[in-house]
Each structure stands twice: as C-alpha cells, then as structure tokens.
Amino acid sequence: MSETLQAADADVRTDATGSAAEAEGGESLLVREGDVAGDYLERLLDLLDYDGDIDLDVEAGRAVVSIDGGEDLEKLVGRRGEGLESLQELTRLAVQQATGVRSRLMLDVAGWRAKRREELSELGRSTAEKVLETEKSIRMRPMTPFERKVVHDAVASVTGVHSESEGEEPNRRVVVFRTS
C-alpha cells in the first residue's frame, strides 16, 4: 500500500483505541471529500444549466452531499433512482481521483433518497410483520445495495424475524425469515 493510502487509512480509523487527532484527521478527510464532490457537482449543474443548492455534511462516518432546488433535478434521479446511483458513483470516482482514497460518499438529489429511505423502512417493517403473521418467508423484489441496507435495518428492528440477501447483482434481493 502506498504511503499516501496508508496515511489516509490511518486518519480514517477511529475505533475505541483511536486518538482524538486520528478522529479529527478522519473528519477533515470527509469534509474534503464533501468539498471535492460539491465542486464536481456544481460544475455538472452549470454544464447542464440546472439550478440547485448543494449542501455538504458528515454523518455516520461518511460525507453526505445533497442537491435541492430546481425543477430539473428529478431528471438526475432517473427511473427508480438509477440516474442518482450512477451520478453517485461518478462523484465518488471524482473524489477518489482528487484524494487518492476510495470514497463512501452518499448523494441525494431533490430529496429522493430520503423519501425512498422512509418508504423502504415501512416496507421492511410491514414485510417483517407479515412474516410473523403467516410464519412464511418472503422474498422481496431485487434492490440496489442502498435499498437492501435500509430494508435490513428495518427488519432488524422487529423481534422474531431476520433478513438475508440472496442472488447476484442486479437481481440481488432481501429475504425475510421468521427466527426459530
């Protein structure tokens, strides 16, 4: 591993034995990721002649960037969030190119991901409750990694059930089981 990556990796590590200086280094790297992403997305919006306000934040150990505002932004989200997923990956690549570190940046456009998270949480809870009622496992439709994570978290909040992912991308899905 290169010295640059080793240094960045040391900065990002913030476990129970990590020092305050390491935590601050990780936080500053995440802030830099957000800044790079914001600049990249600002240039993209200018090229497309779309209006939008970019908000940068750090949550749960990752940079979070959201674009809100203009009417055209929903075009960036695309069908079922496919455009948003692609734009997030392009933004992560731009950040990686600038920082030399693989980014876990999360991007939201026009509040789509936040709304989707609420819908998926409800779907996960209701599916878990249905499994409890019927005592039969339920295989959900294929989902993106983001969608599966939200559903797994929602299912985990219901006692008596658990979930697993099965299949290969792009047909990977969540299966909810009753706990024995």
Side-chain angles (χ1 to χ4, degrees):
M1 186 181 320
S2 73
E3 289 179 24
T4 305
L5 287 176
Q6 287 175 338
D9 186 44
D11 281 347
V12 172
R13 262 186 261 126
T14 56
D15 60 14
T17 61
S19 69
E22 285 176 330
E24 288 174 17
E27 181 86 8
S28 67
L29 177 62
L30 294 174
V31 169
R32 178 150 187 260
E33 283 186 21
D35 288 341
V36 170
D39 291 343
Y40 174 80
L41 293 165
E42 186 71 43
R43 288 191 308 271
L44 175 69
L45 291 175
D46 287 345
L47 284 170
L48 294 170
D49 197 28
Y50 285 5
D51 290 326
D53 297 320
I54 298 175
D55 183 42
L56 309 172
D57 202 0
V58 173
E59 294 175 11
R62 68 171 32 176
V64 178
V65 180
S66 53
I67 306 173
D68 293 303
E71 298 171 15
D72 295 321
L73 293 180
E74 290 190 17
K75 294 176 187 174
L76 294 176
V77 173
R79 190 179 128 258
R80 293 190 54 217
E82 292 169 352
L84 174 58
E85 291 293 331
S86 297
L87 182 57
Q88 178 175 275
E89 280 307 308
L90 289 172
T91 305
R92 285 177 173 176
L93 288 171
V95 169
Q96 181 177 346
Q97 185 177 27
T99 64
V101 178
R102 187 175 184 286
S103 175
R104 293 180 43 235
L105 173 132
M106 182 67 72
L107 175 64
D108 193 4
V109 175
W112 186 87
R113 198 177 296 273
K115 286 181 223 144
R116 186 72 178 134
R117 180 177 280 119
E118 288 176 25
E119 293 168 359
L120 290 165
S121 291
E122 178 54 35
L123 176 64
R125 282 189 297 274
S126 65
T127 302
E129 289 167 5
K130 187 172 183 178
V131 167
L132 284 173
E133 283 176 29
T134 65
E135 298 187 10
K136 294 183 181 181
S137 301
I138 296 178
R139 284 180 168 65
M140 302 176 84
R141 67 166 181 72
M143 296 180 186
T144 66
F146 160 75
E147 292 172 324
R148 289 192 310 270
K149 166 82 168 95
V150 174
V151 170
H152 283 302
D153 289 347
V155 169
S157 72
V158 178
T159 304
V161 294
H162 71 280
S163 60
E164 297 175 8
S165 291
E166 72 174 20
E168 301 294 322
E169 296 293 351
N171 295 313
R172 197 154 169 81
R173 65 185 70 229
V174 173
V175 183
V176 182
F177 302 92
R178 185 173 173 107
T179 305
S180 308

